[in-house]
Each structure stands twice: as C-alpha cells, then as structure tokens.
mmCIF file of all heavy atoms in Angstrom:
data_model
loop_
_atom_site.group_PDB
_atom_site.id
_atom_site.type_symbol
_atom_site.label_atom_id
_atom_site.label_comp_id
_atom_site.label_asym_id
_atom_site.label_seq_id
_atom_site.Cartn_x
_atom_site.Cartn_y
_atom_site.Cartn_z
ATOM 1 N N GLY A 368 -66.918 127.214 -12.654
ATOM 2 C CA GLY A 368 -66.772 128.629 -13.001
ATOM 3 C C GLY A 368 -67.464 129.630 -12.193
ATOM 4 O O GLY A 368 -68.446 129.227 -11.497
ATOM 5 N N SER A 369 -67.056 130.862 -12.220
ATOM 6 C CA SER A 369 -67.702 131.785 -11.396
ATOM 7 C C SER A 369 -68.344 132.776 -12.369
ATOM 8 O O SER A 369 -68.253 132.735 -13.579
ATOM 9 C CB SER A 369 -66.691 132.577 -10.580
ATOM 10 O OG SER A 369 -65.871 133.363 -11.376
ATOM 11 N N GLY A 370 -69.179 133.675 -11.808
ATOM 12 C CA GLY A 370 -69.851 134.702 -12.537
ATOM 13 C C GLY A 370 -68.897 135.660 -13.173
ATOM 14 O O GLY A 370 -69.338 136.380 -14.138
ATOM 15 N N THR A 371 -67.717 135.665 -12.775
ATOM 16 C CA THR A 371 -66.621 136.607 -13.325
ATOM 17 C C THR A 371 -65.980 136.058 -14.578
ATOM 18 O O THR A 371 -65.174 136.658 -15.134
ATOM 19 C CB THR A 371 -65.578 136.986 -12.251
ATOM 20 O OG1 THR A 371 -64.962 135.841 -11.898
ATOM 21 C CG2 THR A 371 -66.197 137.699 -11.112
ATOM 22 N N GLY A 372 -66.414 134.737 -14.835
ATOM 23 C CA GLY A 372 -65.790 134.065 -15.971
ATOM 24 C C GLY A 372 -64.526 133.214 -15.683
ATOM 25 O O GLY A 372 -63.992 132.641 -16.496
ATOM 26 N N VAL A 373 -64.047 133.284 -14.448
ATOM 27 C CA VAL A 373 -62.933 132.485 -14.062
ATOM 28 C C VAL A 373 -63.362 131.022 -13.845
ATOM 29 O O VAL A 373 -64.283 130.706 -13.292
ATOM 30 C CB VAL A 373 -62.225 133.030 -12.728
ATOM 31 C CG1 VAL A 373 -61.118 132.117 -12.229
ATOM 32 C CG2 VAL A 373 -61.880 134.408 -12.859
ATOM 33 N N THR A 374 -62.560 130.064 -14.501
ATOM 34 C CA THR A 374 -62.830 128.653 -14.387
ATOM 35 C C THR A 374 -61.676 127.915 -13.881
ATOM 36 O O THR A 374 -60.493 128.397 -14.069
ATOM 37 C CB THR A 374 -63.311 128.066 -15.722
ATOM 38 O OG1 THR A 374 -62.242 128.257 -16.633
ATOM 39 C CG2 THR A 374 -64.535 128.734 -16.283
ATOM 40 N N GLU A 375 -61.980 126.756 -13.298
ATOM 41 C CA GLU A 375 -60.866 125.888 -12.869
ATOM 42 C C GLU A 375 -61.365 124.472 -13.238
ATOM 43 O O GLU A 375 -62.464 124.006 -12.951
ATOM 44 C CB GLU A 375 -60.795 126.028 -11.326
ATOM 45 C CG GLU A 375 -59.623 125.134 -10.695
ATOM 46 C CD GLU A 375 -59.539 125.354 -9.282
ATOM 47 O OE1 GLU A 375 -59.975 126.319 -8.688
ATOM 48 O OE2 GLU A 375 -58.961 124.421 -8.617
ATOM 49 N N ILE A 376 -60.342 123.686 -13.690
ATOM 50 C CA ILE A 376 -60.602 122.297 -13.999
ATOM 51 C C ILE A 376 -60.563 121.564 -12.745
ATOM 52 O O ILE A 376 -59.677 121.564 -11.952
ATOM 53 C CB ILE A 376 -59.558 121.658 -15.007
ATOM 54 C CG1 ILE A 376 -59.558 122.486 -16.313
ATOM 55 C CG2 ILE A 376 -59.785 120.299 -15.096
ATOM 56 C CD1 ILE A 376 -58.454 122.093 -17.285
ATOM 57 N N LEU A 377 -61.676 120.819 -12.412
ATOM 58 C CA LEU A 377 -61.832 120.019 -11.190
ATOM 59 C C LEU A 377 -61.350 118.647 -11.504
ATOM 60 O O LEU A 377 -60.809 117.988 -10.539
ATOM 61 C CB LEU A 377 -63.275 119.981 -10.682
ATOM 62 C CG LEU A 377 -63.917 121.355 -10.336
ATOM 63 C CD1 LEU A 377 -65.271 121.130 -9.933
ATOM 64 C CD2 LEU A 377 -63.052 122.039 -9.263
ATOM 65 N N TRP A 378 -61.584 118.165 -12.683
ATOM 66 C CA TRP A 378 -61.237 116.810 -13.025
ATOM 67 C C TRP A 378 -61.079 116.724 -14.538
ATOM 68 O O TRP A 378 -61.890 117.402 -15.266
ATOM 69 C CB TRP A 378 -62.241 115.754 -12.527
ATOM 70 C CG TRP A 378 -61.827 114.427 -12.825
ATOM 71 C CD1 TRP A 378 -61.125 113.542 -12.030
ATOM 72 C CD2 TRP A 378 -62.069 113.628 -14.024
ATOM 73 N NE1 TRP A 378 -60.812 112.366 -12.625
ATOM 74 C CE2 TRP A 378 -61.378 112.344 -13.867
ATOM 75 C CE3 TRP A 378 -62.743 113.948 -15.228
ATOM 76 C CZ2 TRP A 378 -61.466 111.374 -14.848
ATOM 77 C CZ3 TRP A 378 -62.662 112.925 -16.224
ATOM 78 C CH2 TRP A 378 -62.092 111.665 -16.001
ATOM 79 N N SER A 379 -60.288 115.901 -15.021
ATOM 80 C CA SER A 379 -60.085 115.689 -16.516
ATOM 81 C C SER A 379 -59.541 114.316 -16.890
ATOM 82 O O SER A 379 -58.760 113.818 -16.020
ATOM 83 C CB SER A 379 -59.202 116.819 -17.092
ATOM 84 O OG SER A 379 -58.978 116.519 -18.419
ATOM 85 N N SER A 380 -59.966 113.802 -17.921
ATOM 86 C CA SER A 380 -59.406 112.528 -18.434
ATOM 87 C C SER A 380 -58.052 112.734 -19.011
ATOM 88 O O SER A 380 -57.417 111.809 -19.418
ATOM 89 C CB SER A 380 -60.366 111.830 -19.328
ATOM 90 O OG SER A 380 -60.632 112.623 -20.476
ATOM 91 N N GLY A 381 -57.569 113.964 -19.052
ATOM 92 C CA GLY A 381 -56.260 114.391 -19.652
ATOM 93 C C GLY A 381 -56.294 114.577 -21.202
ATOM 94 O O GLY A 381 -57.357 114.604 -21.818
ATOM 95 N N GLY A 382 -55.125 114.724 -21.653
ATOM 96 C CA GLY A 382 -54.919 114.901 -23.073
ATOM 97 C C GLY A 382 -55.711 116.086 -23.726
ATOM 98 O O GLY A 382 -55.635 117.190 -23.329
ATOM 99 N N ILE A 383 -56.509 115.657 -24.647
ATOM 100 C CA ILE A 383 -57.295 116.608 -25.393
ATOM 101 C C ILE A 383 -58.235 117.407 -24.493
ATOM 102 O O ILE A 383 -58.550 118.642 -24.747
ATOM 103 C CB ILE A 383 -58.050 115.865 -26.569
ATOM 104 C CG1 ILE A 383 -58.596 116.871 -27.572
ATOM 105 C CG2 ILE A 383 -59.207 115.099 -26.015
ATOM 106 C CD1 ILE A 383 -59.079 116.218 -28.884
ATOM 107 N N SER A 384 -58.800 116.824 -23.465
ATOM 108 C CA SER A 384 -59.731 117.475 -22.580
ATOM 109 C C SER A 384 -58.908 118.640 -21.868
ATOM 110 O O SER A 384 -59.560 119.688 -21.731
ATOM 111 C CB SER A 384 -60.229 116.536 -21.586
ATOM 112 O OG SER A 384 -61.073 115.480 -22.152
ATOM 113 N N ASP A 385 -57.816 118.368 -21.334
ATOM 114 C CA ASP A 385 -57.056 119.357 -20.642
ATOM 115 C C ASP A 385 -56.665 120.492 -21.693
ATOM 116 O O ASP A 385 -56.937 121.716 -21.347
ATOM 117 C CB ASP A 385 -55.748 118.826 -20.107
ATOM 118 C CG ASP A 385 -55.867 118.081 -18.839
ATOM 119 O OD1 ASP A 385 -56.935 118.189 -18.231
ATOM 120 O OD2 ASP A 385 -54.987 117.344 -18.538
ATOM 121 N N GLY A 386 -56.333 120.092 -22.804
ATOM 122 C CA GLY A 386 -55.935 121.166 -23.801
ATOM 123 C C GLY A 386 -57.058 122.036 -24.136
ATOM 124 O O GLY A 386 -56.940 123.266 -24.257
ATOM 125 N N PHE A 387 -58.204 121.476 -24.386
ATOM 126 C CA PHE A 387 -59.382 122.267 -24.806
ATOM 127 C C PHE A 387 -59.851 123.195 -23.638
ATOM 128 O O PHE A 387 -60.205 124.269 -23.860
ATOM 129 C CB PHE A 387 -60.548 121.404 -25.282
ATOM 130 C CG PHE A 387 -61.578 122.145 -26.018
ATOM 131 C CD1 PHE A 387 -61.420 122.676 -27.262
ATOM 132 C CD2 PHE A 387 -62.787 122.372 -25.319
ATOM 133 C CE1 PHE A 387 -62.441 123.399 -27.843
ATOM 134 C CE2 PHE A 387 -63.824 123.122 -25.920
ATOM 135 C CZ PHE A 387 -63.652 123.649 -27.247
ATOM 136 N N GLU A 388 -59.883 122.649 -22.533
ATOM 137 C CA GLU A 388 -60.340 123.370 -21.276
ATOM 138 C C GLU A 388 -59.384 124.666 -21.052
ATOM 139 O O GLU A 388 -59.802 125.768 -20.857
ATOM 140 C CB GLU A 388 -60.461 122.582 -19.966
ATOM 141 C CG GLU A 388 -61.649 121.665 -19.968
ATOM 142 C CD GLU A 388 -62.893 122.376 -19.947
ATOM 143 O OE1 GLU A 388 -63.046 123.541 -19.336
ATOM 144 O OE2 GLU A 388 -63.932 121.859 -20.412
ATOM 145 N N ASP A 389 -58.057 124.351 -21.134
ATOM 146 C CA ASP A 389 -57.066 125.393 -21.089
ATOM 147 C C ASP A 389 -57.260 126.478 -22.118
ATOM 148 O O ASP A 389 -57.057 127.733 -21.948
ATOM 149 C CB ASP A 389 -55.637 124.825 -21.116
ATOM 150 C CG ASP A 389 -55.193 124.141 -19.913
ATOM 151 O OD1 ASP A 389 -55.873 124.383 -18.816
ATOM 152 O OD2 ASP A 389 -54.245 123.362 -19.858
ATOM 153 N N LEU A 390 -57.493 126.013 -23.370
ATOM 154 C CA LEU A 390 -57.705 126.948 -24.458
ATOM 155 C C LEU A 390 -58.882 127.840 -24.259
ATOM 156 O O LEU A 390 -58.858 129.012 -24.440
ATOM 157 C CB LEU A 390 -57.863 126.102 -25.724
ATOM 158 C CG LEU A 390 -57.905 126.796 -27.112
ATOM 159 C CD1 LEU A 390 -56.524 127.420 -27.351
ATOM 160 C CD2 LEU A 390 -58.116 125.802 -28.186
ATOM 161 N N GLN A 391 -60.036 127.185 -23.819
ATOM 162 C CA GLN A 391 -61.186 128.140 -23.493
ATOM 163 C C GLN A 391 -60.960 129.078 -22.394
ATOM 164 O O GLN A 391 -61.289 130.183 -22.511
ATOM 165 C CB GLN A 391 -62.454 127.256 -23.071
ATOM 166 C CG GLN A 391 -62.941 126.404 -24.192
ATOM 167 C CD GLN A 391 -64.270 125.675 -23.732
ATOM 168 O OE1 GLN A 391 -65.323 126.146 -24.085
ATOM 169 N NE2 GLN A 391 -64.122 124.646 -22.949
ATOM 170 N N ALA A 392 -60.246 128.653 -21.318
ATOM 171 C CA ALA A 392 -59.893 129.591 -20.236
ATOM 172 C C ALA A 392 -58.972 130.706 -20.633
ATOM 173 O O ALA A 392 -59.198 131.837 -20.349
ATOM 174 C CB ALA A 392 -59.298 128.826 -19.077
ATOM 175 N N THR A 393 -57.991 130.281 -21.539
ATOM 176 C CA THR A 393 -56.999 131.380 -21.975
ATOM 177 C C THR A 393 -57.585 132.334 -22.880
ATOM 178 O O THR A 393 -57.448 133.541 -22.757
ATOM 179 C CB THR A 393 -55.854 130.697 -22.718
ATOM 180 O OG1 THR A 393 -55.246 129.744 -21.698
ATOM 181 C CG2 THR A 393 -54.833 131.672 -23.174
ATOM 182 N N LEU A 394 -58.426 131.858 -23.797
ATOM 183 C CA LEU A 394 -59.101 132.737 -24.894
ATOM 184 C C LEU A 394 -60.349 133.506 -24.345
ATOM 185 O O LEU A 394 -60.768 134.434 -24.894
ATOM 186 C CB LEU A 394 -59.371 131.936 -26.128
ATOM 187 C CG LEU A 394 -58.194 131.315 -26.861
ATOM 188 C CD1 LEU A 394 -58.641 130.491 -27.955
ATOM 189 C CD2 LEU A 394 -57.146 132.316 -27.313
ATOM 190 N N GLY A 395 -60.990 132.846 -23.300
ATOM 191 C CA GLY A 395 -62.282 133.411 -22.781
ATOM 192 C C GLY A 395 -63.376 133.274 -23.751
ATOM 193 O O GLY A 395 -64.394 134.019 -23.701
ATOM 194 N N GLN A 396 -63.250 132.309 -24.663
ATOM 195 C CA GLN A 396 -64.325 132.045 -25.587
ATOM 196 C C GLN A 396 -64.481 130.475 -25.875
ATOM 197 O O GLN A 396 -63.675 129.745 -25.629
ATOM 198 C CB GLN A 396 -64.157 132.803 -26.934
ATOM 199 C CG GLN A 396 -62.875 132.386 -27.652
ATOM 200 C CD GLN A 396 -62.617 133.247 -28.910
ATOM 201 O OE1 GLN A 396 -62.659 132.746 -29.919
ATOM 202 N NE2 GLN A 396 -62.482 134.487 -28.817
ATOM 203 N N GLY A 397 -65.618 130.155 -26.262
ATOM 204 C CA GLY A 397 -65.969 128.750 -26.570
ATOM 205 C C GLY A 397 -67.347 128.323 -25.893
ATOM 206 O O GLY A 397 -67.946 129.123 -25.223
ATOM 207 N N PRO A 398 -67.635 127.080 -26.086
ATOM 208 C CA PRO A 398 -68.925 126.581 -25.541
ATOM 209 C C PRO A 398 -68.910 126.623 -23.927
ATOM 210 O O PRO A 398 -69.946 126.847 -23.427
ATOM 211 C CB PRO A 398 -69.061 125.160 -26.035
ATOM 212 C CG PRO A 398 -67.774 124.882 -26.569
ATOM 213 C CD PRO A 398 -66.915 126.106 -26.944
ATOM 214 N N GLY A 399 -67.742 126.508 -23.344
ATOM 215 C CA GLY A 399 -67.771 126.486 -21.832
ATOM 216 C C GLY A 399 -68.099 127.840 -21.245
ATOM 217 O O GLY A 399 -69.043 128.066 -20.469
ATOM 218 N N PRO A 400 -67.348 128.911 -21.703
ATOM 219 C CA PRO A 400 -67.790 130.247 -21.245
ATOM 220 C C PRO A 400 -69.179 130.612 -21.690
ATOM 221 O O PRO A 400 -69.900 131.272 -20.887
ATOM 222 C CB PRO A 400 -66.757 131.213 -21.964
ATOM 223 C CG PRO A 400 -65.544 130.305 -22.093
ATOM 224 C CD PRO A 400 -66.079 128.870 -22.429
ATOM 225 N N ASP A 401 -69.638 130.271 -22.869
ATOM 226 C CA ASP A 401 -71.007 130.552 -23.305
ATOM 227 C C ASP A 401 -72.018 129.863 -22.374
ATOM 228 O O ASP A 401 -73.071 130.425 -22.018
ATOM 229 C CB ASP A 401 -71.277 130.152 -24.733
ATOM 230 C CG ASP A 401 -70.577 131.046 -25.664
ATOM 231 O OD1 ASP A 401 -69.831 132.000 -25.270
ATOM 232 O OD2 ASP A 401 -70.821 130.941 -26.944
ATOM 233 N N SER A 402 -71.737 128.608 -22.106
ATOM 234 C CA SER A 402 -72.684 127.909 -21.254
ATOM 235 C C SER A 402 -72.742 128.516 -19.887
ATOM 236 O O SER A 402 -73.857 128.650 -19.210
ATOM 237 C CB SER A 402 -72.141 126.436 -21.158
ATOM 238 O OG SER A 402 -73.008 125.655 -20.256
ATOM 239 N N LEU A 403 -71.570 128.809 -19.248
ATOM 240 C CA LEU A 403 -71.562 129.503 -18.005
ATOM 241 C C LEU A 403 -72.203 130.806 -17.920
ATOM 242 O O LEU A 403 -73.125 131.082 -17.060
ATOM 243 C CB LEU A 403 -70.128 129.734 -17.590
ATOM 244 C CG LEU A 403 -69.815 130.313 -16.212
ATOM 245 C CD1 LEU A 403 -70.482 129.378 -15.117
ATOM 246 C CD2 LEU A 403 -68.397 130.525 -15.896
ATOM 247 N N ALA A 404 -72.083 131.573 -18.993
ATOM 248 C CA ALA A 404 -72.724 132.924 -19.098
ATOM 249 C C ALA A 404 -74.275 132.799 -19.266
ATOM 250 O O ALA A 404 -75.009 133.590 -18.604
ATOM 251 C CB ALA A 404 -72.085 133.786 -20.172
ATOM 252 N N ALA A 405 -74.692 131.898 -20.074
ATOM 253 C CA ALA A 405 -76.142 131.807 -20.386
ATOM 254 C C ALA A 405 -76.912 130.879 -19.326
ATOM 255 O O ALA A 405 -78.155 130.901 -19.262
ATOM 256 C CB ALA A 405 -76.291 131.312 -21.775
ATOM 257 N N GLY A 406 -76.118 130.015 -18.673
ATOM 258 C CA GLY A 406 -76.707 129.030 -17.803
ATOM 259 C C GLY A 406 -77.504 127.989 -18.502
ATOM 260 O O GLY A 406 -78.465 127.392 -18.009
ATOM 261 N N THR A 407 -77.124 127.723 -19.773
ATOM 262 C CA THR A 407 -77.731 126.681 -20.548
ATOM 263 C C THR A 407 -76.709 125.819 -21.176
ATOM 264 O O THR A 407 -75.549 126.150 -21.300
ATOM 265 C CB THR A 407 -78.669 127.266 -21.649
ATOM 266 O OG1 THR A 407 -77.774 128.026 -22.502
ATOM 267 C CG2 THR A 407 -79.690 128.168 -21.168
ATOM 268 N N ALA A 408 -77.112 124.689 -21.619
ATOM 269 C CA ALA A 408 -76.194 123.754 -22.324
ATOM 270 C C ALA A 408 -75.853 124.311 -23.797
ATOM 271 O O ALA A 408 -76.639 125.022 -24.341
ATOM 272 C CB ALA A 408 -76.841 122.388 -22.602
ATOM 273 N N VAL A 409 -74.682 124.051 -24.116
ATOM 274 C CA VAL A 409 -74.176 124.364 -25.375
ATOM 275 C C VAL A 409 -73.625 123.158 -26.091
ATOM 276 O O VAL A 409 -72.642 122.495 -25.559
ATOM 277 C CB VAL A 409 -73.024 125.498 -25.477
ATOM 278 C CG1 VAL A 409 -72.450 125.818 -26.751
ATOM 279 C CG2 VAL A 409 -73.586 126.741 -24.758
ATOM 280 N N ARG A 410 -74.241 122.753 -27.230
ATOM 281 C CA ARG A 410 -73.865 121.536 -27.967
ATOM 282 C C ARG A 410 -73.315 121.971 -29.335
ATOM 283 O O ARG A 410 -73.941 122.631 -30.102
ATOM 284 C CB ARG A 410 -75.067 120.717 -28.116
ATOM 285 C CG ARG A 410 -75.675 120.125 -26.807
ATOM 286 C CD ARG A 410 -76.997 119.552 -27.004
ATOM 287 N NE ARG A 410 -77.570 119.157 -25.705
ATOM 288 C CZ ARG A 410 -78.411 119.987 -25.049
ATOM 289 N NH1 ARG A 410 -78.861 121.099 -25.589
ATOM 290 N NH2 ARG A 410 -78.913 119.518 -23.907
ATOM 291 N N VAL A 411 -72.119 121.422 -29.489
ATOM 292 C CA VAL A 411 -71.441 121.651 -30.856
ATOM 293 C C VAL A 411 -70.974 120.363 -31.394
ATOM 294 O O VAL A 411 -69.873 119.849 -31.218
ATOM 295 C CB VAL A 411 -70.193 122.560 -30.646
ATOM 296 C CG1 VAL A 411 -69.574 122.909 -32.119
ATOM 297 C CG2 VAL A 411 -70.590 123.856 -29.928
ATOM 298 N N PRO A 412 -71.904 119.701 -32.190
ATOM 299 C CA PRO A 412 -71.638 118.333 -32.707
ATOM 300 C C PRO A 412 -70.431 118.335 -33.793
ATOM 301 O O PRO A 412 -69.917 117.256 -33.995
ATOM 302 C CB PRO A 412 -72.912 117.900 -33.377
ATOM 303 C CG PRO A 412 -73.770 119.128 -33.513
ATOM 304 C CD PRO A 412 -73.225 120.092 -32.623
ATOM 305 N N ASP A 413 -70.198 119.441 -34.425
ATOM 306 C CA ASP A 413 -69.049 119.477 -35.357
ATOM 307 C C ASP A 413 -68.389 120.862 -35.243
ATOM 308 O O ASP A 413 -68.899 121.878 -35.833
ATOM 309 C CB ASP A 413 -69.620 119.287 -36.777
ATOM 310 C CG ASP A 413 -68.502 119.124 -37.854
ATOM 311 O OD1 ASP A 413 -67.280 119.419 -37.541
ATOM 312 O OD2 ASP A 413 -68.880 118.746 -38.982
#
C-alpha cells in the first residue's frame, strides 16, 4: 500500500483472502487500511 491508501495484492492463497482484500480496497475501510494508516498491527480475532 501507499500513503495515498492505494493497495495492490502481491500474493494471495485465493478464495476468501482475495475477496476480503478486494472488499477492503473497494470500501477503503478495514484492518488493512487502518494498519497502513497507523503503521501498526491491527488484530481482529472475531
């Protein structure tokens, strides 16, 4: 990801991983964008 919030999938195991990454990129929200913006890990166990 870049500082502008644009992300690109470099590798995925497919299926649910692709879907979730696409969803975060499309919506611009989720643990991925939060982690990128804050520079820290985001853990959501449930």
